[in-house]
Amino acid sequence: MSEVRVVLLGPPGAGKGTQAKSLVASLGVPHISSGDLLREAVTGLTELGLEARSYMDVGDLVPDELVLGMIEKRIGGTDCAPGFLLDGFPRTQAQAAALGDMLNARGGPLEHVVALAVNRTEVVERLAGRRSCPDCGRLYHVRFEAPQNEGRCDGCGTELVVRDDDREETVRQRVAVYENRTAPLIEFYRQEGILHEVNGSGSPADVRGRILEAVGGQA
Ligand code: AMP
């Protein structure tokens, strides 16, 4: 494929991170997760991280102005010349508008927005079993994608954790925030004519196949 600029949309637990990590090899573009970038900033105790943390811990959105600067810098990186796969950004109307402006200025518009649709029961089940490696960021699921050695990362052997924002109270807030602030972007991108609604239920391999079919990539 030549250039490809894709956004993955969907509620927390829809499988965006899992899919993004497996899709980038096929698409030949970097995976940009705003959540991962923010978590790196939190761990690195940067100014951005210190400001972002209080919002993330309670499942609220980090203010647009903080996130926009971070994303603009990231998509300006040379590795993004062939495009990118954005995961978790944009999440508000203002972010979607700002992304449009950034891309207009660079001369390459967004080609595809993939909205992963998953029912609420499945979302809760996925989030409740999610574990992550605090060192390399790899994600697991106690039922659907268990590590080879229980509780340890296959890649680096670090003990897996439940992310602070995967705790039940926070999850409920994140789902509410998604419904109020992010779900309206589905309609926005439908009107732009670049929306693909993809069924996010089933095995990661099945979902991956549906996404690649939607964006016209190779499996
Ligand atoms: P995620 O891993 O994408 O679910 O993001 C984890 C948390 O980071 C979210 O609950 C928000 O607090 C924050 N976050 C990630 N992306 C954004 C964004 N585009 N705008 C605002 N906050 C974000």
Side-chain angles (χ1 to χ4, degrees), residues 10-13 16-17 33-39 52-64 66-68 70-71 87-92 95 127 130 139 163 165-166 170 173-174 177 181-182:
K16 298 188 299 295
S33 154
S34 47
D36 283 352
L37 290 173
L38 287 166
R39 280 184 287 278
R53 179 163 194 168
S54 57
Y55 299 95
M56 295 169 75
D57 281 351
V58 293
D60 282 339
L61 293 183
V62 174
D64 289 336
L66 296 180
V67 175
L68 286 173
M70 174 185 89
I71 292 290
D87 153 20
F89 178 91
R91 259 177 157 94
T92 64
Q95 291 180 11
L127 288 173
R130 190 147 93 168
L139 295 175
R163 254 166 44 183
D165 61 353
D166 282 340
T170 318
Q173 173 65 4
R174 287 166 69 204
V177 167
R181 314 248 349 245
T182 309

Side-chain angles (χ1 to χ4, degrees), residues 8 15-27 29-33 36 39 85 87 130 132 136-140 145 163 208:
L8 269 184
K16 298 188 299 295
T18 304
Q19 288 300 327
K21 287 189 178 81
S22 105
L23 285 165
V24 287
S26 307
L27 297 175
V29 293
H31 167 209
I32 302 180
S33 154
D36 283 352
R39 280 184 287 278
L85 176 61
D87 153 20
R130 190 147 93 168
S132 80
C136 69
R138 189 157 159 189
L139 295 175
Y140 297 86
E145 215 184 328
R163 254 166 44 183
R208 172 193 156 85

Side-chain angles (χ1 to χ4, degrees), residues 91-155:
R91 259 177 157 94
T92 64
Q93 298 274 7
Q95 291 180 11
L99 176 64
D101 291 345
M102 282 176 217
L103 296 180
N104 277 341
R106 285 167 194 283
L110 211 53
E111 274 113 11
H112 304 285
V113 173
V114 174
L116 285 178
V118 187
N119 73 43
R120 200 178 254 264
T121 324
E122 203 166 338
V123 159
V124 172
E125 191 182 18
R126 286 182 185 191
L127 288 173
R130 190 147 93 168
R131 301 291 180 271
S132 80
C133 174
D135 201 36
C136 69
R138 189 157 159 189
L139 295 175
Y140 297 86
H141 191 283
V142 290
R143 271 189 54 207
F144 308 125
E145 215 184 328
Q148 277 162 10
N149 295 318
E150 200 185 320
R152 299 245 160 227
C153 179
D154 292 343

